[in-house]
Amino acid sequence: REEKERLGVKDDLKLTLNAVKVLEARYLLKDEEGKIIETPDQMFRRVANHVGVIDALYDYANFQKKGTVREDGKKISNLLNTQIEVLERGFNELVNDGVLKGTFGQFMDFIYTKPTIAEDTIEKFHKMMKSLEYVPNSPTMMNAGARLGQLSACFVLPVGDSIEEIFEAVKQTAEIHKSGGGTGFSFSRLRNKDDIVGSTKGVASGPVSFMKIFDTTTEVIKQGGKRRGANMGILRYDHPDIMEFITSKDSENTILKNFNISVGMEDEFFEKLDSDGYVDLKNPKTGKVVSRIKARTMWDSIITHAWKTADPGLIFLDEINRANPVKNIADIEATNPCGEQPLMPYESCNLGSINLAKFVKEDNTIDWDRLRETVHMSTRFLDNVVDANNFPVRQIKEMTRKTRKIGLGIMGFADMLIMLGVPYDSEEALKIAENVMSFLDLESHKESQNLAIERGVFPGWYGSEYEKEDILMRNSTTTTIAPTGTISIIAGCSSSIEPLFAIAFMRHVLNGQELIEVNPLFEEIMKKRNLYSEKLMQDVATTGNLSKIDLPEDLKRLFKTAHEIDPEWHVLMQATFQKYCDSGVSKTINLPNDATPEDIGKAYRLAKDLHCKGITVYRDRSKTEQVLYSGTSG
Ligand code: ADP
């Protein structure tokens, strides 16, 4: 408590110390002098006000169309300036889209005199956030009702093969990073190194050299002092510069520090790999074959480098495009930085995650009814964010409003399993994953269909796969499993669908601070079973896991950490969630330090065969800097 008071954050929600520290450093609004001017509860209210008030716009649209008002609603008595701003921007966009007509003044008359559900929605949004049952992605919490108003975490920008287009993309990247978003790019259109440049008859320097410019831009633009941006760079497996790309993060002076990189794979590569064939490397401009390389040689290089540096990962372009519901608009070539969100060029997506730990009942069963309600409310929340968002680039606004992609996911999955007494690496856990994710996907689709009836289908629906199947949808996708790196700290739960990283660990956060914590579920269960002692907690904290600790076998099994779990189970878990997820699944396949490149090859191949959309591995201590260390002796 003292520590919290020292931070000057009035904690009205019984948050963990780590949560308070993170909120203080990056989320709570500050005045000119840097003094915090809101409590965590007020932060959630700010977000709820900003996002929930959008409901009034659609009540007005229905009033204009049908002349009806919400009998179950109430009159808005008072609006904050920030709410008026977001309504005005949203109103103008909807007039542009042909959904609304008239003037903003007429709309304001309407909401002050007629009932709408906006206030009710705001209350519900506020309640589910302050109870930490649902938390939106970081930019929404940082920027809703604040100066920037940019609410999305994920963007993909096109990079064309000309100096103008490349530097246009660099500029747009800067805009996005300034507002807290992350960017992904396919560099596959850029002509290969040493190809002739028409205007000067010189030679091109190739994709990797241009990636360095994006990297430096990211390095320089710190997001309002809050965090540095992040990028995903993708190059197709048949680009002539692919081998340079695969080895690009290997350099002594760690170039491309702000990039995750992935090879864009197609099914053809794996056919070549299996038949020991060659891949033709083609000039992206002319399509002419420049050279060829044995698929096996490329594969070996990929897995050796992933073993050494964790990069490159893979993304499976065919799998992604088979699932693309709006093939009529464009193919997907890239994902956001952490890989979970495939997007078309200029698309963005806003994410939010439900904390499953809050949905286990006293009798150790899942509270499906309450979960359903929360899935519906959070789907509505994310749809509102598309209208509340202040997009940093015009083309992004247009594309995102056309497809209205949203990404509802989960966190606290490992906590839920522990509460249910089920080990992560078990068939039963896969079954629970299947039940939870199919439920989430189904219910969020249902809500998107409800919203389509209330508000209309997403504009790109015409010609989409949904139209062919005659399914009304408000959003072209609704589910994504994000890493929840920071929001899970705020919610005080295990991140995403990952197993516990450690039972006790030291967390590195911004400014070189270190936070030590013991998993609260472990502490609780130890106390319940009369096994708790200070000494035990200290012992656990030095190694991070229970492998060498003298405790009953069932507990050691239940509390297995990420590195103790066989990589195959990690991939199986990812694939199980992927089956019921519209977009991608963020998952780190953790391997112990003594894993071999072949182990990595096996995991990569399994991910492909199980229809994952991409894969990233992390071998313990294979990078010099890592965000989390297992055990305080780290
Ligand atoms: P959070 O917990 O902060 O909401 P996640 O860890 O779930 O974020 O990451 C979700 C997405 O947010 C990432 O895939 C990426 O697109 C974006 N993102 C995360 N961290 C950063 C960062 N430092 N800079 C820019 N974008 C980021």
Side-chain angles (χ1 to χ4, degrees):
R1 164 126 47 79
E2 272 168 30
E3 183 75 5
K4 285 190 198 172
E5 275 165 17
R6 189 190 59 75
L7 288 170
V9 177
K10 194 170 162 291
D11 175 13
D12 34 18
L13 303 176
K14 299 202 172 53
L15 299 161
T16 66
L17 177 59
N18 287 344
V20 171
K21 282 193 176 180
V22 166
L23 289 174
E24 185 236 2
R26 305 187 211 165
Y27 293 80
L28 301 174
L29 292 188
K30 294 175 182 158
D31 66 12
E32 306 274 286
E33 274 116 52
K35 203 168 129 279
I36 290 169
I37 53 167
E38 65 183 357
T39 67
D41 185 33
Q42 285 165 340
M43 170 191 73
F44 286 129
R45 172 144 308 271
R46 161 169 62 78
V47 177
N49 281 334
H50 192 80
V51 178
V53 77
I54 293 294
D55 275 21
L57 290 170
Y58 289 103
D59 283 350
Y60 188 50
N62 271 319
F63 177 69
Q64 288 195 332
K65 242 187 331 208
K66 302 183 196 144
T68 55
V69 293
R70 299 281 309 210
E71 297 300 344
D72 56 345
K74 44 175 171 304
K75 262 187 283 184
I76 291 177
S77 52
N78 179 31
L79 281 173
L80 303 166
N81 285 339
T82 50
Q83 288 176 299
I84 295 174
E85 260 170 53
V86 72
L87 283 172
E88 187 163 10
R89 189 170 55 234
F91 178 87
N92 290 333
E93 293 300 335
L94 290 174
V95 169
N96 267 344
D97 296 349
V99 175
L100 285 174
K101 45 186 190 293
T103 65
F104 185 60
Q106 289 165 332
F107 165 71
M108 290 297 276
D109 284 346
F110 166 81
I111 56 172
Y112 280 129
T113 54
K114 300 273 186 332
T116 79
I117 54 158
E119 294 218 271
D120 188 33
T121 302
I122 290 169
E123 283 317 311
K124 287 180 177 157
F125 287 174
H126 181 222
K127 189 161 158 266
M128 73 177 175
M129 287 188 284
K130 76 181 227 186
S131 61
L132 305 174
E133 289 169 4
Y134 164 82
V135 185
N137 62 204
S138 289
T140 300
M141 284 196 297
M142 290 169 176
N143 301 335
R147 199 170 52 85
L148 286 172
Q150 194 296 100
L151 311 177
S152 292
C154 314
F155 297 81
V156 163
L157 291 171
V159 187
D161 183 44
S162 69
I163 292 296
E164 289 74 21
E165 288 165 290
I166 293 169
F167 281 87
E168 182 63 19
V170 171
K171 180 177 140 209
Q172 292 168 342
T173 302
E175 296 276 349
I176 292 169
H177 287 187
K178 201 174 73 181
S179 72
T183 38
F185 317 86
S186 164
F187 291 99
S188 305
R189 278 177 218 289
L190 299 194
R191 74 192 74 185
N192 41 295
K193 205 172 180 166
D194 300 335
D195 194 37
I196 303 295
V197 178
S199 54
T200 60
K201 301 291 175 242
V203 292
S205 47
V208 175
S209 63
F210 284 109
M211 286 172 70
K212 293 179 200 161
I213 298 172
F214 287 84
D215 190 55
T216 307
T217 305
T218 307
E219 188 72 30
V220 175
I221 308 221
K222 238 185 160 189
Q223 307 173 331
K226 287 176 174 162
R227 59 178 183 180
R228 190 169 292 132
N231 301 294
M232 169 66 91
I234 286 164
L235 198 68
R236 286 175 56 91
Y237 71 102
D238 57 0
H239 190 285
D241 292 4
I242 190 66
M243 295 305 277
E244 183 189 355
F245 177 81
I246 290 168
T247 58
S248 64
K249 292 204 59 173
D250 220 15
S251 138
E252 293 294 296
N253 45 13
T254 52
I255 60 159
L256 303 181
K257 208 162 70 182
N258 304 299
F259 265 94
N260 293 324
I261 63 167
S262 280
V263 178
M265 285 295 186
E266 282 182 351
D267 297 344
E268 191 204 16
F269 174 84
F270 292 93
E271 288 155 19
K272 298 270 162 75
L273 185 64
D274 291 342
S275 62
D276 207 21
Y278 286 80
V279 175
D280 288 339
L281 304 180
K282 298 179 207 122
N283 180 319
K285 257 211 125 54
T286 61
K288 272 213 325 245
V289 177
V290 176
S291 61
R292 48 201 313 243
I293 181 170
K294 235 186 173 176
R296 171 63 51 189
T297 309
M298 193 191 298
W299 183 253
D300 287 344
S301 178
I302 289 171
I303 61 178
T304 313
H305 284 87
W307 177 84
K308 246 199 256 180
T309 68
D311 280 302
L314 304 181
I315 76 159
F316 304 116
L317 293 170
D318 287 331
E319 200 64 52
I320 285 173
N321 280 303
R322 278 192 280 271
N324 179 2
V326 285
K327 300 182 178 63
N328 51 319
I329 300 180
D331 279 344
I332 294 175
E333 305 165 5
T335 69
N336 69 330
C338 303
E340 73 278 14
Q341 189 60 57
L343 294 170
M344 297 184 287
Y346 283 130
E347 234 186 335
S348 72
C349 184
N350 67 91
L351 312 173
S353 299
I354 291 177
N355 174 5
L356 290 177
K358 298 280 182 192
F359 294 87
V360 180
K361 290 193 282 196
E362 297 260 315
D363 64 355
N364 288 345
T365 56
I366 297 171
D367 191 340
W368 295 106
D369 289 338
R370 213 155 50 77
L371 185 58
R372 178 181 300 110
E373 220 174 278
T374 309
V375 171
H376 283 246
M377 273 328 277
S378 35
T379 303
R380 177 180 277 266
F381 180 101
L382 293 168
D383 186 59
N384 280 16
V385 170
V386 179
D387 294 301
N389 208 342
N390 188 11
F391 292 96
V393 173
R394 178 185 53 82
Q395 296 96 316
I396 293 174
K397 178 174 76 184
E398 289 168 6
M399 196 58 157
T400 306
R401 293 184 69 90
K402 200 166 175 178
T403 58
R404 303 190 70 92
K405 260 186 195 172
I406 58 174
L408 180 63
I410 58 169
M411 53 187 169
F413 178 65
D415 291 342
M416 168 183 263
L417 289 179
I418 291 168
M419 290 156 108
L420 299 174
V422 177
Y424 190 91
D425 52 350
S426 68
E427 290 295 335
E428 205 184 338
L430 294 181
K431 189 74 209 144
I432 292 171
E434 183 151 344
N435 290 345
V436 166
M437 197 59 204
S438 57
F439 183 84
L440 188 107
D441 200 57
L442 178 75
E443 292 300 333
S444 74
H445 277 219
K446 275 193 200 161
E447 180 62 12
S448 186
Q449 287 158 23
N450 294 339
L451 289 167
I453 294 166
E454 187 186 316
R455 303 174 171 186
V457 291
F458 64 93
W461 182 86
Y462 299 94
S464 73
E465 301 303 301
Y466 293 111
E467 190 193 18
K468 288 182 199 158
E469 292 171 32
D470 211 14
I471 300 170
L472 299 181
M473 284 287 276
R474 176 68 178 159
N475 313 91
S476 62
T477 65
T478 68
T479 46
T480 302
I481 300 205
T484 72
T486 325
I487 63 170
S488 64
I489 302 177
I490 294 170
C493 64
S494 61
S495 57
S496 188
I497 59 163
E498 302 291 353
L500 296 185
F501 186 77
I503 309 301
F505 61 88
M506 178 168 75
R507 198 188 278 277
H508 293 249
V509 291
L510 213 71
N511 311 329
Q513 279 188 69
E514 288 176 356
L515 310 173
I516 296 174
E517 62 185 63
V518 176
N519 181 281
L521 284 173
F522 178 69
E523 200 172 312
E524 189 189 312
I525 292 178
M526 288 301 107
K527 283 183 178 158
K528 242 189 227 155
R529 291 187 38 176
N530 276 330
L531 293 164
Y532 182 88
S533 75
E534 288 293 330
K535 164 96 176 44
L536 175 73
M537 297 301 131
Q538 272 170 18
D539 288 350
V540 177
T542 53
T543 59
N545 63 51
L546 305 183
S547 60
K548 299 210 172 66
I549 307 274
D550 184 25
L551 278 174
E553 276 310 309
D554 68 317
L555 288 176
K556 289 171 89 149
R557 174 122 171 74
L558 189 62
F559 281 96
K560 261 201 202 173
T561 58
H563 290 284
E564 297 170 278
I565 288 169
D566 195 278
E568 198 179 321
W569 281 107
H570 283 280
V571 181
L572 284 171
M573 193 56 90
Q574 177 179 341
T576 305
F577 274 101
Q578 183 62 74
K579 263 204 271 179
Y580 304 98
C581 184
D582 293 340
S583 290
V585 174
S586 159
K587 178 87 188 72
T588 300
I589 309 303
N590 286 100
L591 293 110
N593 183 260
D594 61 6
T596 63
E598 288 68 40
D599 292 333
I600 286 171
K602 267 207 314 229
Y604 274 14
R605 188 58 204 247
L606 185 62
K608 155 74 187 151
D609 294 342
L610 294 177
H611 306 288
C612 291
K613 297 209 165 127
I615 181 160
T616 333
V617 293
Y618 185 72
R619 185 172 63 91
D620 197 21
R621 296 192 287 273
S622 60
K623 267 187 203 166
T624 42
E625 233 179 275
Q626 89 190 59
V627 182
L628 297 168
Y629 280 98
S630 176
T632 51
S633 60

